[in-house]
Amino acid sequence: MVPFQGRLLFKQYIPNKTHKYGVKVFKLCNTIGYTLQMSIYAGKNLEPSSVGVAERVVMQLADKYLDKGRILVTDNFYTSIPLATSLLEKNTHLIGTLRKNRRDLPKDTMIKKVFFLSTMHDLGMVDTGKVNKNREKVFKPAVIMEYNTGKQGIDLSDQMASYFSPLRRTIKWYHKLAFEILLNTAVVNSWIIFNKLSGKKVQMIDYREQLIMNMLGVEKKYETPPRKDRSVNPIPEHSLEETQDRDARNRHIRRRCSSCYLDASTLQGRQYAQKNVKLVKTMCNECKKFMCLSCFAKHIQTLNKKK
C-alpha cells in the first residue's frame, strides 16, 4: 500500500495494513527482495471475465517466468485451486497460505486451523537445524519451510523501502506513486544489486546518502578536528532535525520558520507574517529554533563566516 488519504476513485481501505488507506500495488519479488514486476490496482475491471482479480494479477505478473519449472509463493489473498491449476498447466508450482472459504475445497478441511496449498509437497517433515529446550531437534513440514524461504522476498523489499522513506504529504496521488517507484522500489533494487556485486553489506541509510551525493556530483569529505581542540573548545554541530513533539492528535508539532517570520514581519508586518509564513516541523538542534531548509542553509553559511 502506498499511503494516500486524498480523494481518489481507486483508493483502497485495508484495515490490517500499516497504512490503511492508499493505492494498492501488486509486486512480484524473488527470494532476496528484488522486485521483478509491479502492477497498480486501478479499480474493478468492467470487462466480463471468468477469472478472479487475484488469479489474473498473478498470471500477468508472472507471465515472463512461467513454463520454466519455477515455484511461485503467494499469500492467502491470491492462493486458490483455480490458480494452482492454471499454474500447473504452465509448468509452475504454487505454494501459499489458503483461506478456508475458498471454493472447491474439501469440506473435511474446514475444521483445521492452518491452511496451506502446495502442488509439489506431501506431509513430510524436515529438520530446521534448531533445538528446543530439551535439546531435541525441531522439525517442521517441508511446505512451511519452503513457504518461509519464498515469502521473505516481498517482506524484505517492503521492509527496506520503509527505512528512511522519501514519501511526503501531497494532494497529488501520482506524486506519491512516482516517489514510491523511483525512490523506494528502484533504490532497494539497486541496493540489492550493489551488495551482491560488491560483496559488501552497506546499510540502507549510507547507500541512500551516497546515492544522493553521486547524483549531485558532490564528494563527501569527513573532516575530524584534532582531539585536543574538541576537548578544550568543542564546536557545536548544527543540524536540521525533525521535532519529536506531537500534539493531542499524534501529529508533529509545527511552528513558523523563525527566519522567514522575522523577514516577513519586518517588511510587511506581523499580521502578514502570521498568515503567510509556512509552518515547519524541522528545527536546528543547537539553536532550538524552527527553520525551513533554505533558511537553515543560510544560517549555516552565516556561522561558517563567523569562524
Side-chain angles (χ1 to χ4, degrees):
M1 290 285 286
V2 180
F4 183 75
Q5 294 195 3
R7 293 184 178 181
L8 183 62
L9 183 63
F10 51 87
K11 181 178 67 177
Q12 295 291 299
Y13 171 70
I14 304 180
N16 61 345
K17 294 289 186 181
T18 303
H19 302 289
K20 297 177 174 55
Y21 294 92
V23 180
K24 184 191 295 185
V25 178
F26 301 109
K27 294 171 63 175
L28 176 67
C29 300
N30 62 11
T31 55
I32 62 175
Y34 188 92
T35 301
L36 302 170
Q37 295 285 347
M38 297 181 66
S39 176
I40 302 168
Y41 180 68
K44 185 177 180 181
N45 192 351
L46 299 180
E47 297 180 2
S49 175
S50 59
V51 180
V53 175
E55 183 179 351
R56 183 169 65 252
V57 167
V58 171
M59 299 302 291
Q60 288 175 352
L61 291 180
D63 182 59
K64 297 181 180 179
Y65 307 96
L66 302 178
D67 294 311
K68 297 180 181 180
R70 298 180 183 270
I71 303 171
L72 189 65
V73 179
T74 60
D75 65 11
N76 57 33
F77 175 79
Y78 307 94
T79 312
S80 65
I81 299 295
L83 175 61
T85 304
S86 299
L87 288 175
L88 281 177
E89 294 175 354
K90 295 289 185 177
N91 190 26
T92 303
H93 285 287
L94 175 66
I95 303 172
T97 53
L98 184 65
R99 297 178 182 178
K100 67 177 182 180
N101 59 351
R102 292 292 191 189
R103 293 183 302 174
D104 304 323
L105 289 181
K107 293 183 179 179
D108 56 351
T109 62
M110 300 300 178
I111 59 174
K112 306 297 181 181
K113 294 183 179 180
V114 181
F115 295 85
F116 265 90
L117 187 148
S118 174
T119 58
M120 60 177 294
H121 291 92
D122 54 18
L123 299 179
M125 307 288 285
V126 295
D127 187 359
T128 62
K130 301 179 181 179
V131 294
N132 57 20
K133 296 180 180 180
N134 298 325
R135 310 300 298 175
E136 298 174 345
K137 293 183 178 181
V138 177
F139 291 87
K140 284 186 178 180
V143 60
I144 293 181
M145 297 292 291
E146 190 82 28
Y147 174 82
N148 291 339
T149 302
K151 187 64 167 58
Q152 67 183 5
I154 183 67
D155 295 335
L156 178 62
S157 176
D158 292 342
Q159 179 185 357
M160 300 311 300
S162 67
Y163 291 157
F164 319 104
S165 174
L167 295 182
R168 295 297 182 265
R169 289 186 177 182
T170 176
I171 60 175
K172 305 294 185 181
W173 66 269
Y174 47 84
H175 288 176
K176 277 283 186 73
L177 203 57
F179 273 90
E180 174 66 29
I181 296 174
L182 296 176
L183 301 181
N184 269 345
T185 304
V187 169
V188 171
N189 278 0
S190 64
W191 172 78
I192 292 173
I193 294 175
F194 177 83
N195 285 346
K196 188 75 173 179
L197 296 180
S198 64
K200 301 178 180 178
K201 291 185 179 180
V202 180
Q203 297 296 321
M204 178 56 71
I205 185 172
D206 296 328
Y207 182 77
R208 284 187 183 272
E209 184 178 7
Q210 190 60 46
L211 182 62
I212 293 171
M213 293 297 180
N214 291 340
M215 293 177 69
L216 294 176
V218 178
E219 182 179 356
K220 186 173 181 179
K221 297 181 179 180
Y222 297 92
E223 298 181 356
T224 305
R227 182 176 297 274
K228 59 180 181 180
D229 293 340
R230 294 202 308 268
S231 59
V232 176
N233 187 20
I235 301 175
E237 296 181 359
H238 295 262
S239 63
L240 194 65
E241 298 180 353
E242 188 176 273
T243 178
Q244 300 301 317
D245 298 332
R246 294 177 177 267
D247 57 17
R249 299 176 63 183
N250 199 30
R251 298 183 301 182
H252 284 281
I253 298 293
R254 293 173 179 264
R255 295 287 186 270
R256 293 181 179 87
C257 173
S258 57
S259 298
C260 293
Y261 183 83
L262 179 61
D263 295 340
S265 59
T266 302
L267 295 175
Q268 296 181 295
R270 188 179 63 179
Q271 292 184 350
Y272 174 85
Q274 290 178 346
K275 291 182 179 180
N276 294 276
V277 174
K278 60 183 178 181
L279 299 174
V280 296
K281 58 181 178 180
T282 52
M283 64 187 304
C284 178
N285 67 326
E286 286 292 333
C287 304
K288 303 301 181 185
K289 293 182 179 180
F290 283 84
M291 294 184 183
C292 62
L293 182 59
S294 58
C295 290
F296 177 74
K298 296 177 183 178
H299 178 62
I300 294 299
Q301 291 178 357
T302 304
L303 292 176
N304 291 335
K305 291 179 181 180
K306 292 181 179 179
K307 292 181 180 180

